[in-house]
Amino acid sequence: EPEVTQTPSHQVTQMGQEVILRCVPISNHLYFYWYRQILGQKVEFLVSFYNNEISEKSEIFDDQFSVERPDGSNFTLKIRSTKLEDSAMYFCASTGVGGTSSYNEQFFGPGTRLTVL
Amino acid sequence: GENVEQHPSTLSVQEGDSAVIKCTYSDSASNYFPWYKQELGKGPQLIIDIRSNVGEKKDQRIAVTLNKTAKHFSLHITETQPEDSAVYFCAASMNTGFQKLVFGTGTRLLVSP
């Protein structure tokens, strides 16, 4: 069964450093998302991406964040200057139209745990 | 914007019992309601979903009910098994196709043998 993959599984960085989290969505999916989950809290929406541009972003997704689809398979989230409060689990998700996926089902990757020291 | 509340935060049951988790939403424009199961160290996995033109949906031991008037929906798990132990999240979304999911706060379900 196709799945969303994410790398790395765990990223440790110093405050102020830039990090790039990588995702490979399910091929033939067209919509991509980033969510984050601070330890013990709910999953929060960050940004959605379609047709090479941001569709929607939350208040969390400020100027320190950016997303990119650099090629036909990868989808990345960059945090320019990390803060302590960026420590969280970051999930990538994708959804498509037709095929084997249910309409509107978002498939989540296993996540990247980001620890900012 | 949409706000989703979820109760209870923790739920302990004996194997074989039923478990019910309830969610309420605030935005009447929401009309897609998925439930996700999250096991330790993994991403959320869809277990069942319901759209607002349907009042109930079942899939083996799992069922979801939706009351649009009251803006609440519930997950029912019957004949629980230890492997059902996980965190369950409800979510709501506007069914324009690919809108963001707004998640509830999660319910930690523990099924004891």
Side-chain angles (χ1 to χ4, degrees), chain A residues 94-112:
Chain A
S94 69
T95 190
V97 181
T100 58
S101 68
S102 301
Y103 180 69
N104 228 19
E105 177 181 353
Q106 290 186 23
F107 291 82
F108 282 75
T112 293

Side-chain angles (χ1 to χ4, degrees), chain A residues 19-32:
Chain A
V19 294
I20 297 176
L21 310 183
R22 292 183 166 79
C23 167
V24 179
I26 294 172
S27 64
N28 86 347
H29 278 189
L30 301 175
Y31 291 78
F32 315 113

